[in-house]
Protein backbone atom coordinates (compact mmCIF):
# COMPACT_ATOMS: atom_id res chain seq x y z
CA UNK A 1 0.00 0.00 0.00
CA UNK A 2 1.16 3.54 -0.81
CA UNK A 3 0.21 6.18 1.76
CA UNK A 4 0.70 9.95 1.46
CA UNK A 5 0.41 12.17 4.55
CA UNK A 6 -0.68 15.76 3.88
CA UNK A 7 -0.68 18.94 5.97
CA UNK A 8 -0.45 22.62 5.13
CA UNK A 9 3.26 23.31 4.61
CA UNK A 10 4.82 19.82 4.87
CA UNK A 11 7.30 20.87 7.53
CA UNK A 12 5.61 19.91 10.82
CA UNK A 13 2.83 17.33 10.98
CA UNK A 14 3.02 15.36 7.74
CA UNK A 15 6.79 14.71 7.89
CA UNK A 16 6.31 13.53 11.48
CA UNK A 17 3.58 11.16 10.31
CA UNK A 18 5.80 9.94 7.47
CA UNK A 19 8.72 9.33 9.82
CA UNK A 20 6.56 7.54 12.38
CA UNK A 21 4.99 5.37 9.67
CA UNK A 22 8.38 4.42 8.24
CA UNK A 23 9.59 3.50 11.73
CA UNK A 24 6.58 1.23 12.24
CA UNK A 25 6.32 -0.52 8.87
CA UNK A 26 8.57 -1.48 6.00
CA UNK A 27 5.68 -3.17 4.19
CA UNK A 28 4.24 0.03 2.75
CA UNK A 29 5.47 3.08 0.83
CA UNK A 30 5.14 6.43 2.60
CA UNK A 31 5.62 10.05 1.63
CA UNK A 32 4.34 13.44 2.71
CA UNK A 33 3.35 16.68 1.04
CA UNK A 34 1.77 20.04 1.80
CA UNK A 35 -1.16 21.79 0.21
CA UNK A 36 0.81 25.05 0.26
CA UNK A 37 3.98 26.03 -1.57
CA UNK A 38 5.72 28.19 1.07
CA UNK A 39 8.29 25.66 2.28
CA UNK A 40 9.15 23.64 -0.85
CA UNK A 41 12.62 22.13 -0.51
CA UNK A 42 12.96 22.93 3.20
CA UNK A 43 13.62 20.27 5.84
CA UNK A 44 11.04 19.66 8.58
CA UNK A 45 10.91 22.38 11.23
CA UNK A 46 13.32 22.04 14.15
CA UNK A 47 10.50 21.27 16.59
CA UNK A 48 9.39 18.28 14.51
CA UNK A 49 12.96 17.12 13.94
CA UNK A 50 13.72 17.40 17.66
CA UNK A 51 10.70 15.43 18.88
CA UNK A 52 11.25 12.76 16.24
CA UNK A 53 14.91 12.47 17.25
CA UNK A 54 13.97 12.17 20.93
CA UNK A 55 11.69 9.29 19.95
CA UNK A 56 14.42 7.58 17.89
CA UNK A 57 13.28 8.70 14.43
CA UNK A 58 15.38 10.75 12.00
CA UNK A 59 13.34 12.96 9.66
CA UNK A 60 16.10 15.48 8.97
CA UNK A 61 16.61 14.21 5.41
CA UNK A 62 13.00 14.86 4.34
CA UNK A 63 12.27 17.86 2.13
CA UNK A 64 8.96 19.69 1.87
CA UNK A 65 7.02 19.42 -1.35
CA UNK A 66 3.64 20.55 -2.56
CA UNK A 67 0.86 18.13 -3.38
CA UNK A 68 0.30 18.09 -7.13
CA UNK A 69 -1.94 16.56 -9.77
CA UNK A 70 0.90 14.06 -10.37
CA UNK A 71 -0.04 12.55 -6.99
CA UNK A 72 -3.63 11.98 -8.09
CA UNK A 73 -3.33 8.31 -9.10
CA UNK A 74 -0.08 7.48 -7.34
CA UNK A 75 -1.35 6.87 -3.78
CA UNK A 76 -3.73 4.27 -2.35
CA UNK A 77 -4.53 6.52 0.60
CA UNK A 78 -4.21 10.24 1.22
CA UNK A 79 -4.19 10.96 4.96
CA UNK A 80 -4.75 14.60 5.94
CA UNK A 81 -4.16 16.28 9.29
CA UNK A 82 -7.18 18.56 9.56
CA UNK A 83 -10.45 19.70 8.01
CA UNK A 84 -8.80 22.49 6.01
CA UNK A 85 -6.39 20.00 4.42
CA UNK A 86 -9.33 17.68 3.70
CA UNK A 87 -11.22 20.40 1.84
CA UNK A 88 -8.13 21.55 -0.08
CA UNK A 89 -7.27 18.02 -1.20
CA UNK A 90 -10.88 17.29 -2.22
CA UNK A 91 -10.91 20.46 -4.33
CA UNK A 92 -7.86 19.13 -6.20
CA UNK A 93 -9.89 16.09 -7.25
CA UNK A 94 -8.51 13.45 -4.89
CA UNK A 95 -10.99 10.76 -3.81
CA UNK A 96 -9.11 8.36 -1.52
CA UNK A 97 -8.82 10.83 1.39
CA UNK A 98 -9.31 10.45 5.12
CA UNK A 99 -8.30 12.38 8.21
CA UNK A 100 -5.58 10.92 10.42
CA UNK A 101 -7.88 11.24 13.44
CA UNK A 102 -11.51 12.22 13.93
CA UNK A 103 -10.35 15.47 15.51
CA UNK A 104 -7.99 17.86 13.76
CA UNK A 105 -4.28 17.41 14.46
CA UNK A 106 -3.17 20.88 15.63
CA UNK A 107 -0.58 22.72 13.57
CA UNK A 108 2.51 23.25 15.77
CA UNK A 109 4.00 25.91 13.48
CA UNK A 110 3.23 28.64 16.01
CA UNK A 111 3.93 26.62 19.17
CA UNK A 112 6.31 28.23 21.63
CA UNK A 113 9.59 26.28 21.54
CA UNK A 114 8.94 22.58 22.16
CA UNK A 115 5.64 23.19 23.98
CA UNK A 116 3.07 20.53 23.11
CA UNK A 117 5.34 18.52 20.84
CA UNK A 118 5.27 15.35 22.96
CA UNK A 119 1.47 15.36 22.89
CA UNK A 120 1.45 16.09 19.16
CA UNK A 121 3.86 13.21 18.49
CA UNK A 122 1.71 10.77 20.48
CA UNK A 123 -1.43 11.99 18.74
CA UNK A 124 0.10 11.45 15.29
CA UNK A 125 1.57 8.09 16.32
CA UNK A 126 -1.84 6.88 17.49
CA UNK A 127 -3.39 7.83 14.15
CA UNK A 128 -0.59 6.18 12.14
CA UNK A 129 -0.86 2.99 14.19
CA UNK A 130 -4.61 2.88 13.54
CA UNK A 131 -4.07 3.26 9.79
CA UNK A 132 -1.42 0.55 9.69
Amino acid sequence: MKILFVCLGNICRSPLAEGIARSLSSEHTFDSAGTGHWHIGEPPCKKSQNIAKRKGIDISNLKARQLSKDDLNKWDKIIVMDERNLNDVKQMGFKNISKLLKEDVPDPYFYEDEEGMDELFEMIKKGVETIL
Side-chain angles (χ1 to χ4, degrees):
M1 181 168 298
K2 297 181 199 171
I3 301 171
L4 180 67
F5 297 99
V6 177
C7 67
L8 187 60
N10 192 216
I11 61 166
C12 298
R13 298 170 290 174
S14 57
L16 261 180
E18 178 185 352
I20 291 168
R22 287 181 181 197
S23 76
L24 295 174
S25 174
S26 59
E27 299 174 26
H28 307 292
T29 301
F30 304 103
D31 196 5
S32 61
T35 57
H37 65 278
W38 314 279
H39 300 289
I40 292 173
E42 293 179 21
C45 70
K46 286 296 180 195
K47 292 178 278 196
S48 290
Q49 286 189 52
N50 290 343
I51 187 63
K53 188 174 184 177
R54 286 199 311 271
K55 302 291 185 172
I57 300 169
D58 182 9
I59 62 170
S60 63
N61 63 330
L62 300 179
K63 299 289 182 222
R65 71 179 190 88
Q66 187 175 16
L67 184 68
S68 73
K69 292 284 186 183
D70 293 341
D71 291 309
L72 203 55
N73 298 309
K74 188 175 180 180
W75 302 98
D76 299 312
K77 289 186 178 186
I78 309 290
I79 307 298
V80 299
M81 300 296 135
D82 62 31
E83 201 66 32
R84 178 180 177 183
N85 305 144
L86 181 67
N87 293 331
D88 289 345
V89 173
K90 279 182 179 177
Q91 286 180 0
M92 290 181 72
F94 289 86
K95 303 289 184 214
N96 49 345
I97 315 159
S98 59
K99 284 176 59 177
L100 182 67
L101 299 167
K102 288 180 183 174
E103 69 271 20
D104 284 354
V105 176
D107 189 342
Y109 186 74
F110 296 107
Y111 281 15
E112 291 290 326
D113 302 315
E114 302 292 317
E115 171 198 354
M117 292 305 292
D118 284 306
E119 294 86 4
L120 181 75
F121 182 92
E122 292 305 322
M123 179 184 252
I124 292 173
K125 184 178 179 200
K126 175 185 170 189
V128 170
E129 288 172 339
T130 301
I131 290 166
L132 296 178

